[in-house]
Amino acid sequence: MAAPKLEEISHPPMDQLQGLEYCIDSNPSWGEAIALGFQHYILALGTAVMIPSFLVPLMGGSDGDKVRVVQTLLFVEGINTLLQTLFGTRLPTVVGGSYAFMVPIISIIHDPSLASIEDNHVRFLNTMRAVQGALIVASSIQIILGYSQLWAICSRFFSPLGMVPVISLVGFGLFDRGFPVVGRCVEIGIPMLILFIAFSQYLKNFKTRHLPIMERFALLITITVIWAYAHLLTASGAYKHRPDLTQMNCRTDKANLISSAPWIKIPYPLQWGAPTFDAGHAFGMMAAVLVSLIESTGAYKAASRLASATPPPAHVLSRGIGWQGIGILLSGLFGTLSGSSVSVENVGLLGSTRVGSRRVIQISAGFMIFFSMLGKFGAFFASIPFTIFAAVYCVLFGLVGRFQDLHIDTFGLSVPEYFREYTAKALHGPAHTRAGWFNDFLNTIFFSSPTVALIVAVFLDNTLDYKDSAKDRGMPWWVKFRTFKGDTRNEEFYTLPFNLNRFFPPS
């Protein structure tokens, strides 16, 4: 038998992921697109509800305050998603609240000057204004790095091999929000996990009128079934004598969102009052903005792959970061109690449904804005127990982390896990000096798996035999995607709408 030829055994990298039903600039029918957009909206509710539900009580806020923050976060999330899909990277990404901002925000909450306020409502408002001021100042980091094209210059030091652990850890780095949360209410979480895997993976070829309904709408179907099951358990009194933590994670009526929500309420800038500014708070928040920047960079790369687009050129990536900075500025002005970043779970849903259409994400943004103004209706959907979302995350985070099928940066997993365990035991991070701003900055950076992965990957990539190993790291293949004109397909995927490229010519 003759030996195989070299070209028969070599496997050049694919510029675009194959097998998607709809890529970034192709669209399903309007009915299917609306249903898929609503599915992305439902998935985005998990983070939008979880962050305020955790932070608002720490600030002294009431259930009514919590509902207003959830509404505001969803409203701004819809605006930011539209801005990003129209003028930013133009990738099908939902831009929502980010856990990266939790460390500096909790630090602000525990600031003695705020924590000592006795009146709960006054303490809530003063803390919110302090967070707003820190977000407004810190947003300048992404705005400057993005619109000055400095991030485009930085991205030239990223290689395909170096981005592998970053993209992988964008998904795998969030594992603690998956099964550990499912375990808080196994009677709901386990059935949800089993049902979602069965529908989305094993029954995905089931079709109705040539539509793979199980693959497309597994999330909507399973959430509806398990949510009804959870409501049945709640109504039957199954949790009446269970611990408070179990009730909080299992009951469908414990969040008090529906009863506290107004029928109609339109969020507006400075609705909590004038922001206050503190240098220490702002410096700690800047670390979260840098973490958000790095995590979103990895998520943009993953989204381009799962939407069957070419990797975003450096110019487009930097443009997207600039608009994300505008999004954080809006978060500060409106008072969302969180900065913004690309929603990793929604990126995973692109791979699960095999629909990477930009229009679907824009429709989901419309749902976010619409239901954030109709308080009762939005609160109805937001009352889904978070355990149900956690079961879905177990699958979707894996889709983002595993689609490259390459190694994971062990530093990116082990270092942040050390910081988390240390903080849980000592009630403060490993960085614990008299300079609070320094502690917030360092602890925030090393809490993020993708950030640690990028630091290690870029350092090793550009110091260890970086000239001789360029081919092994994929640099010759990567170089054509660095510039907008390096590949003819970039114009199809990333050109601005309304002929705006006349005023903002790509580099």
Side-chain angles (χ1 to χ4, degrees):
M1 182 177 179
K5 298 179 181 179
L6 180 62
E7 58 267 26
E8 293 175 344
I9 61 174
S10 63
H11 301 279
M14 290 188 298
D15 295 343
Q16 296 173 257
L17 188 67
Q18 305 300 310
L20 262 73
E21 191 76 20
Y22 299 99
C23 67
I24 185 171
D25 54 356
S26 60
N27 302 306
S29 65
W30 276 106
E32 188 179 350
I34 290 171
L36 287 165
F38 184 72
Q39 188 168 240
H40 274 277
Y41 158 72
I42 290 294
L43 183 60
L45 283 174
T47 300
V49 174
M50 185 61 179
I51 292 176
S53 296
F54 178 76
L55 293 176
V56 170
L58 295 179
M59 299 162 61
S62 63
D63 288 336
D65 295 324
K66 179 173 65 177
V67 169
R68 284 188 66 190
V69 175
V70 170
Q71 288 180 280
T72 305
L73 180 53
L74 278 172
F75 185 80
V76 175
E77 187 170 332
I79 293 174
N80 287 340
T81 299
L82 282 177
L83 291 175
Q84 192 62 239
T85 54
L86 285 171
F87 309 116
T89 60
R90 307 213 69 215
L91 288 165
T93 51
V94 170
V95 180
S98 172
Y99 290 95
F101 294 83
M102 295 284 274
V103 172
I105 290 176
I106 290 174
S107 177
I108 293 173
I109 292 172
H110 291 150
D111 187 306
S113 64
L114 297 169
S116 59
I117 299 175
E118 294 184 0
D119 186 284
N120 283 339
H121 185 63
V122 174
R123 177 158 61 92
F124 168 77
L125 289 177
N126 285 8
T127 306
M128 174 64 81
R129 293 166 186 168
V131 172
Q132 286 183 261
L135 285 170
I136 290 170
V137 174
S139 67
S140 61
I141 297 290
Q142 286 194 12
I143 294 173
I144 293 171
L145 287 176
Y147 290 123
S148 68
Q149 292 294 307
L150 283 173
W151 191 241
I153 297 171
C154 294
S155 68
R156 296 178 187 273
F157 295 96
F158 306 159
S159 70
L161 188 64
M163 288 306 296
V164 165
V166 178
I167 298 174
S168 296
L169 288 171
V170 164
F172 288 129
L174 300 174
F175 70 93
D176 57 328
R177 286 164 219 150
F179 202 83
V181 180
V182 171
R184 297 175 187 173
C185 186
V186 292
E187 53 265 56
I188 293 176
I190 295 297
M192 180 65 198
L193 180 60
I194 293 173
L195 208 60
F196 183 65
I197 292 175
F199 280 24
S200 65
Q201 304 301 316
Y202 291 96
L203 299 177
K204 62 182 179 181
N205 294 322
F206 177 81
K207 295 184 179 181
T208 301
R209 296 182 180 179
H210 306 290
L211 177 68
I213 191 168
M214 292 299 185
E215 182 181 53
R216 289 282 194 278
F217 305 110
L219 182 70
L220 275 182
I221 296 170
T222 52
I223 283 183
T224 301
V225 171
I226 301 300
W227 189 17
Y229 167 63
H231 184 72
L232 185 64
L233 290 176
T234 300
S236 65
Y239 304 111
K240 191 173 293 184
H241 304 294
R242 302 290 292 275
D244 289 343
L245 184 61
T246 301
Q247 293 195 40
M248 185 62 67
N249 287 280
C250 297
R251 295 182 67 99
T252 56
D253 59 356
K254 198 66 177 176
N256 296 325
L257 292 177
I258 299 176
S259 60
S260 304
W263 281 103
I264 297 177
K265 181 73 175 180
I266 301 176
Y268 55 92
L270 307 182
Q271 59 186 338
W272 309 105
T276 58
F277 299 93
D278 180 274
H281 295 166
F283 197 82
M285 197 67 75
M286 286 179 184
V289 169
L290 289 173
V291 168
S292 163
L293 181 153
I294 292 169
E295 292 181 351
S296 292
T297 297
Y300 287 134
K301 300 282 187 181
S304 67
R305 183 75 166 164
L306 292 172
S308 195
T310 53
H315 156 80
V316 172
L317 191 62
S318 197
R319 185 177 74 198
I321 293 301
W323 277 104
Q324 188 168 297
I326 296 292
I328 296 174
L329 176 62
L330 290 176
S331 297
L333 290 172
F334 278 83
T336 63
L337 206 56
S338 173
S340 60
S341 182
V342 174
S343 169
V344 178
E345 54 267 33
N346 288 87
V347 172
L349 191 58
L350 300 177
S352 176
T353 59
R354 294 195 305 123
V355 176
S357 169
R358 184 189 296 122
R359 177 183 292 173
V360 167
I361 301 300
Q362 291 170 339
I363 291 172
S364 76
F367 278 117
M368 294 172 201
I369 295 172
F370 179 73
F371 283 117
S372 67
M373 294 187 292
L374 296 179
K376 293 288 186 185
F377 293 99
F380 172 73
F381 295 116
S383 65
I384 300 171
F386 190 73
T387 308
I388 291 178
F389 291 109
V392 177
Y393 294 166
C394 291
V395 179
L396 299 184
F397 288 162
L399 282 173
V400 176
R402 289 184 63 247
F403 77 90
Q404 299 209 41
D405 292 325
L406 290 172
H407 76 282
I408 302 172
D409 186 345
T410 54
F411 283 103
L413 282 173
S414 58
V415 173
E417 186 60 22
Y418 163 73
F419 270 70
R420 294 187 192 108
E421 289 183 2
Y422 189 102
T423 303
K425 293 177 181 177
L427 301 180
H428 59 76
H432 187 59
T433 66
R434 292 183 179 180
W437 59 267
F438 176 77
N439 302 336
D440 293 343
F441 190 90
L442 211 61
N443 291 328
T444 301
I445 291 290
F446 288 101
F447 252 77
S448 168
S449 294
T451 304
V452 175
L454 185 73
I455 292 171
V456 175
V458 171
F459 176 77
L460 295 178
D461 250 0
N462 293 278
T463 54
L464 290 177
D465 301 322
Y466 67 97
K467 291 183 179 179
D468 298 332
S469 63
K471 186 176 180 181
D472 294 334
R473 293 186 288 124
M475 297 305 286
W477 172 78
W478 189 269
V479 70
K480 67 178 179 180
F481 298 115
R482 283 181 174 173
T483 60
F484 191 83
K485 297 179 181 179
D487 190 283
T488 55
R489 291 166 295 183
N490 289 338
E491 184 174 353
E492 175 187 358
F493 298 134
Y494 301 112
T495 297
L496 290 170
F498 315 124
N499 207 18
L500 290 175
N501 275 54
R502 292 181 303 167
F503 308 104
F504 306 100
S507 56

